[in-house]
């Protein structure tokens, strides 16, 4: 297991972590600059932030600041009420693949989607269908189509199993076991064209955590996300904790993923209204401190 | 699969569902009376409500009103920072077993507990330990001790796997598979002395739902709880939906449990600040209507 206590060489900042400061949106260009000034080596940007900045400008800024990417957030959201809807989502995922390639991302993170119509403009609402087996089949079909395209571009897809509390609205792939079964189905040769983003927040509770991480193997371990689970959690989406403030034994999970050969970035992805009310400096300083002591 | 559309013969009311009316606590005696007046045949009371009414008075009221019980809520909450704490929790579970026998309950529902010290007076707080494997081992040890006592009283224990969002504070048994593995460990003979309470709210999201329900078998299927998952869910604890208002395909889950031989009560267990602001009559009428159309 790597010693991370000396510096923040292996910290990556998911740009959602510093999406806001003092409650106000922060432009992606300012986020990139702030990270670079702090000696942070990698980021993982979101599509909406990249679109607002402009894809080419974002790619240029990343290059000129010498930043690496630990991922690109995100593809997925496949389920739809009909075939045309699913195809539209697949087409959108191909655009996300293209963007990830332009930005030089090592993988596109895939959040499968929940039930059709349950997430509109980022807001959860009552879905158009309750048919979960069908929604899961659509997610698999959408991923297969995206994978065919991503392979032609040489870009790996990273399935991120999300916590079961998001099954209805955001992601119907909810355990590592389920995600790995899907990898086996879509890529029986274990080529590494499709793998897993392990986010501690989503998987820490799983009684099969150690068993399933041991099943991933180095080729499929594409990303490692960190934050913490607060007790109590007052908001399902935006009450994530800074590493060390909650109940997840993050170092023990890092030990498991590194035992599989993972040697990449620990990506801090913290959706938190409380932290978004502070300054960008405070958030980044806390991430830098905590990656050394609590990751 | 039974036809429930004609009457509410197989509806049971978990007394937490009508714990409050117009935002105020309702005495258990009034809950029993209201259920009996509506022709509801069964209830599942909570320990704190029974304690407030008096155990003997509660038992007498249940008998005189001709009510059956579909369960008694609840035992468990085993994890502790030390052996003395665990023993105190085991002792308390023995008292819960005695109460369940006095009331004539068919089973004691077991909510394992989360991390030690994470639930105090019903409120979640930062725990005293983050060691989840140890907390799970304590839950298994506590259940084994409770089972030995419950067997001597002839009372089955019903392990209720709770949704993974409660892993830290309420219950570290979070999937049917995990609960059934524990049943196999504690009762390899499948005697029925320990089994499962299937609550749709906690298990609906599970990709292994059908597979694991098929594993339960009739002897271990001790209780079936219904309510619905709302999208969005605004509160993790008290925003459960009335059957039919959310996204769970409850009839498909009932079909699975009845295929295992289950022929007992469908117990409505709805923790909902919104419903608790209505009258007891309204809540019971809704349960009666929905058990016919949405269960």
């Amino acid at each position: 297991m790597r010693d991370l206590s000396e510096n923040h060489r292996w910290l990556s900042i998911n740009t959602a972590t510093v999406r806001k400061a003092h409650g106000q949106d922060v432009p992606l260009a300012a986020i990139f600059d702030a990270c670079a000034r702090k000696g942070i080596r990698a980021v993982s940007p979101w599509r909406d932030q990249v679109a607002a900045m402009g894809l080419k400008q974002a790619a240029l800024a990343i290059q000129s600041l010498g930043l690496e990417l630990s991922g690109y957030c995100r593809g997925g959201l496949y389920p739809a009420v009909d075939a045309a809807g699913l195809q539209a989502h697949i087409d959108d995922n191909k655009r996300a693949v293209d963007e990830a390639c332009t930005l030089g991302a090592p993988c596109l993170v895939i959040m499968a989607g929940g039930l059709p119509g349950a997430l509109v403009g980022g807001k959860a609402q009552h879905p158009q269908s309750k048919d979960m087996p069908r929604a899961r089949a659509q997610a698999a079909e959408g991923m297969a189509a995206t994978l065919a395209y991503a392979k032609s571009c040489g870009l790996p897809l990273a399935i991120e199993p999300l916590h079961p509390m998001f099954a209805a609205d955001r992601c119907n792939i909810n355990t590592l076991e389920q995600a790995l079964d899907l990898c086996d189905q879509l890529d029986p040769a274990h080529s590494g064209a499709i793998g897993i983003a392990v986010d501690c927040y989503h998987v820490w509770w799983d009684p099969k955590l150690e068993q399933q991480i041991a099943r991933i193997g180095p080729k499929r371990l594409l990303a490692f996300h960190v934050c913490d689970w607060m007790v109590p959690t007052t908001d399902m989406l935006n009450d994530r904790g800074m590493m060390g403030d909650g109940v997840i034994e993050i170092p023990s999970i890092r030990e498991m993923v590194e035992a599989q050969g993972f040697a990449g970035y620990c990506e801090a992805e913290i959706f938190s209204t409380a932290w978004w009310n502070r300054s960008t400096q405070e958030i980044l300083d806390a991430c830098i401190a905590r990656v050394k002591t609590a990751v």
Side-chain angles (χ1 to χ4, degrees), chain A:
Chain A
M1 189 174 175
R2 294 175 292 178
D3 176 8
L4 300 186
S5 67
E6 293 295 318
N7 55 55
H8 57 287
R9 168 66 184 91
W10 292 108
L11 170 67
S12 171
I13 296 293
N14 183 294
T15 59
T17 303
V18 281
R19 174 184 286 285
K20 293 173 191 254
H22 306 300
Q24 304 296 314
D25 285 342
V26 177
L28 189 58
I31 292 172
F32 288 159
D33 287 341
C35 288
R37 275 198 306 273
K38 294 280 182 190
I40 289 163
R41 301 278 293 266
V43 293
S44 181
W46 280 64
R47 283 189 85 189
D48 65 308
Q49 293 172 302
V50 167
M53 182 175 182
L55 179 63
K56 280 187 188 169
Q57 288 79 358
L60 278 172
I62 288 164
Q63 199 167 24
S64 69
L65 292 166
L67 290 167
E68 287 195 280
L69 262 60
S70 57
Y72 184 49
C73 295
R74 58 197 180 186
L77 291 169
Y78 296 106
V81 283
D82 55 25
L86 174 58
Q87 188 57 54
H89 296 160
I90 290 169
D91 292 342
D92 189 52
N93 273 272
K94 290 180 182 173
R95 287 190 289 275
V97 168
D98 291 338
E99 293 162 25
C101 292
T102 300
L103 295 169
C107 62
L108 174 65
V109 175
I110 301 286
M111 184 181 84
L115 293 165
L119 195 69
V120 176
K123 298 275 182 197
Q125 61 178 39
H126 191 75
Q128 294 167 289
S129 155
K130 303 182 186 186
D131 189 342
M132 181 56 91
R134 181 165 176 271
R136 284 181 164 145
Q138 287 185 319
E141 187 182 340
M143 262 182 257
T146 310
L147 179 60
Y149 182 73
K151 269 178 168 172
S152 74
C153 309
L155 182 80
L157 302 183
I159 305 176
E160 183 169 352
L162 254 62
H163 195 286
M165 69 186 174
F166 298 121
D169 52 337
R170 292 174 190 271
C171 184
N172 58 40
I173 297 179
N174 305 106
T175 63
L176 284 168
E177 184 172 32
Q178 184 191 8
L180 285 164
D181 287 350
L182 196 52
C183 286
D184 287 348
Q185 176 190 323
L186 296 176
D187 180 33
H190 289 240
S191 73
I194 189 161
I196 306 287
V198 174
D199 186 320
C200 294
Y201 190 78
H202 296 304
V203 303
W204 76 277
W205 62 271
D206 190 343
K208 300 178 91 170
L209 178 64
E210 189 161 11
Q211 181 204 96
Q212 292 298 315
I213 288 180
R215 185 183 155 199
I216 303 181
K219 277 196 172 176
R220 284 183 171 170
L221 230 163
L222 301 179
F224 179 56
H225 298 179
V226 293
C227 71
D228 219 330
W229 180 278
M230 304 303 290
V231 181
T233 290
T234 58
D235 184 274
M236 278 165 57
L237 190 60
N238 294 325
D239 190 29
R240 299 190 186 189
M242 183 60 64
M243 297 77 77
D245 285 347
V247 302
I248 306 177
E249 290 197 313
I250 301 171
S252 81
I253 303 180
R254 183 165 70 85
E255 189 167 16
M256 293 175 203
V257 301
E258 294 196 4
Q260 292 303 304
F262 182 78
Y265 285 102
C266 301
E267 179 181 322
E269 184 182 35
I270 307 164
F271 306 161
S272 164
T273 304
W275 281 97
W276 288 331
N277 277 328
R278 306 194 191 188
S279 72
T280 303
Q281 307 298 320
E282 281 176 286
I283 303 171
L284 292 179
D285 285 344
C287 289
I288 289 168
R290 297 300 179 84
V291 79
K292 297 176 188 169
T293 59
V295 172

